[in-house]
């Protein structure tokens, strides 16, 4: 058996893994795991990843969870170009710095805005209260400011002059709210220019393909969710 990647393109780390593998011509079998149908919670999938999260990797009897671990494994195993995870110590440290920071900041805030705006109307039958949207937007703006000022500064990319794993993961996190009509790039010319550079580095056509599912709002309509997943998310977001 060859390399298998378990993915759902609604997931930002899954898209990052998919784009990275495709742009580096890494051979793999795409195994779709539908998050909204709870396929990540099945007994069958738990044999691949008992943590019940995606992305997940399987290669013969070897399995691996967590997007950062998977990206680094692929970069090392397939000896991808150095700019993705630079050998030079300080450039690598910049990549590591973002990868260490993003979980509870960029990813969390962008995902919260998407989920609240998408899920609250499903749960309550009403739009998200204006004060809640303002609060979520302000929280996202804080981390976007930090990204621009701390991580991007005046450089083309996070680690310097070439795209890295950090840029790819950051892009997939930042575009997440676009599906619910919130544009994080609006009024941020530096961020918008960086987005174009990242998409140009990996290929516009590949990005459009990877983002296709995300950019179709019908993929997040109430009928796409199983009752069990809706109930699980209600406990998380309806407080």
């Amino acid at each position: 058996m060859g390399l298998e990647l378990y993915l759902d393109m609604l997931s930002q780390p899954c898209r990052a893994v998919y784009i990275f593998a495709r742009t580096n011509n890494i051979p793999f079998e795409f195994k779709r795991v539908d998050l909204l149908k709870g396929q990540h919670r099945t007994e069958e999938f738990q044999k691949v990843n008992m943590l019940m999260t995606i992305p997940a990797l399987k290669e013969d009897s070897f399995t691996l969870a967590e997007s950062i671990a998977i990206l680094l494994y692929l970069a090392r195993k397939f000896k991808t170009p150095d700019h993705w995870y630079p050998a030079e110590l300080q450039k690598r440290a910049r990549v590591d710095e973002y990868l260490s920071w993003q979980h509870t900041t960029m990813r969390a805030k962008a995902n919260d805005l998407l989920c609240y705006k998408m899920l609250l109307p499903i749960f309550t039958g009403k739009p998200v209260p204006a004060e809640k949207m303002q609060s979520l937007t302000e929280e996202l703006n804080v981390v976007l400011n930090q990204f621009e000022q701390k991580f991007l500064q005046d450089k083309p990319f996070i680690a310097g002059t070439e795209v890295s794993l950090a840029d790819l993961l950051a892009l997939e996190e930042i575009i997440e709210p676009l599906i619910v009509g919130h544009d994080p790039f609006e009024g941020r010319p530096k961020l918008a220019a960086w987005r174009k550079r990242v998409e140009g580095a990996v290929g516009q056509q590949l990005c459009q393909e990877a983002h296709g599912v995300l950019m179709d709002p019908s993929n997040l309509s109430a009928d796409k969710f199983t009752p069990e997943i809706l109930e699980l998310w209600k406990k998380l977001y309806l407080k």
Side-chain angles (χ1 to χ4, degrees), residues 64-115:
L64 189 64
E66 295 300 316
S67 57
I68 306 299
I70 291 170
L71 287 166
L72 294 179
Y73 176 80
L74 294 175
R76 291 161 176 156
K77 177 179 175 63
F78 292 95
K79 297 179 173 60
T80 57
D82 180 76
H83 62 84
W84 287 110
Y85 193 57
E88 197 278 318
L89 185 61
Q90 292 188 357
K91 287 184 178 180
R92 177 171 289 193
R94 289 296 175 220
V95 175
D96 289 337
E97 185 178 40
Y98 180 79
L99 297 182
S100 300
W101 176 80
Q102 52 86 26
H103 299 281
T104 58
T105 50
M106 186 66 78
R107 182 181 180 194
K109 300 307 180 184
N111 194 64
D112 279 352
L113 192 150
L114 180 150
C115 287

Side-chain angles (χ1 to χ4, degrees), residues 41 111-112 115-116 119-120 123 132 229-239:
R41 302 175 64 83
N111 194 64
D112 279 352
C115 287
Y116 275 102
L119 293 172
L120 282 189
F123 296 149
K132 181 63 176 179
I229 292 299
L230 272 179
E231 188 61 31
L232 177 66
W233 283 27
K234 184 183 293 187
K235 292 177 181 178
L236 291 173
Y237 292 102
L238 194 60
K239 300 176 181 178

Side-chain angles (χ1 to χ4, degrees), residues 6-197:
Y6 293 75
L7 310 167
D8 186 332
M9 302 303 274
L10 286 175
S11 158
Q12 56 273 56
C14 286
R15 293 193 303 271
V17 168
Y18 177 83
I19 292 171
F20 180 72
R22 285 285 310 278
T23 198
N24 285 286
N25 298 311
I26 295 172
F28 68 94
E29 183 178 354
F30 186 108
K31 296 283 191 176
R32 175 129 190 261
V33 180
D34 193 325
L35 288 171
L36 304 188
K37 294 190 182 304
Q39 292 178 355
H40 58 303
R41 302 175 64 83
T42 63
E43 184 176 344
E44 180 182 1
F45 180 70
Q46 288 182 59
K47 295 175 183 177
V48 177
N49 180 13
M50 64 176 292
L51 301 177
M52 297 184 290
T53 60
I54 54 173
L57 176 152
K58 186 174 187 295
E59 190 173 28
D60 299 321
S61 61
F62 175 73
T63 59
L64 189 64
E66 295 300 316
S67 57
I68 306 299
I70 291 170
L71 287 166
L72 294 179
Y73 176 80
L74 294 175
R76 291 161 176 156
K77 177 179 175 63
F78 292 95
K79 297 179 173 60
T80 57
D82 180 76
H83 62 84
W84 287 110
Y85 193 57
E88 197 278 318
L89 185 61
Q90 292 188 357
K91 287 184 178 180
R92 177 171 289 193
R94 289 296 175 220
V95 175
D96 289 337
E97 185 178 40
Y98 180 79
L99 297 182
S100 300
W101 176 80
Q102 52 86 26
H103 299 281
T104 58
T105 50
M106 186 66 78
R107 182 181 180 194
K109 300 307 180 184
N111 194 64
D112 279 352
L113 192 150
L114 180 150
C115 287
Y116 275 102
K117 191 168 183 180
M118 172 184 68
L119 293 172
L120 282 189
I122 294 175
F123 296 149
T124 67
K126 301 176 183 179
V128 184
E131 61 272 18
K132 181 63 176 179
M133 279 306 301
Q134 182 178 350
S135 173
L136 293 169
T137 301
E138 289 174 354
E139 290 177 7
L140 178 58
N141 282 335
V142 168
V143 295
L144 289 173
N145 289 339
Q146 290 172 339
F147 179 77
E148 288 187 312
Q149 295 165 14
K150 161 65 179 171
F151 294 95
L152 195 54
Q153 300 177 13
D154 293 319
K155 299 171 295 183
F157 300 100
I158 291 173
T161 58
E162 294 183 280
V163 70
S164 72
L165 292 176
D167 296 285
L168 179 55
L169 199 60
L171 175 64
E172 294 311 308
E173 292 163 344
I174 295 172
I175 68 168
E176 195 81 346
L178 287 174
I179 193 173
V180 290
H182 181 85
D183 187 353
F185 303 95
E186 185 177 356
R188 293 181 178 273
K190 178 189 290 189
L191 195 66
W194 165 81
R195 176 191 180 182
K196 288 184 178 180
R197 288 192 294 271

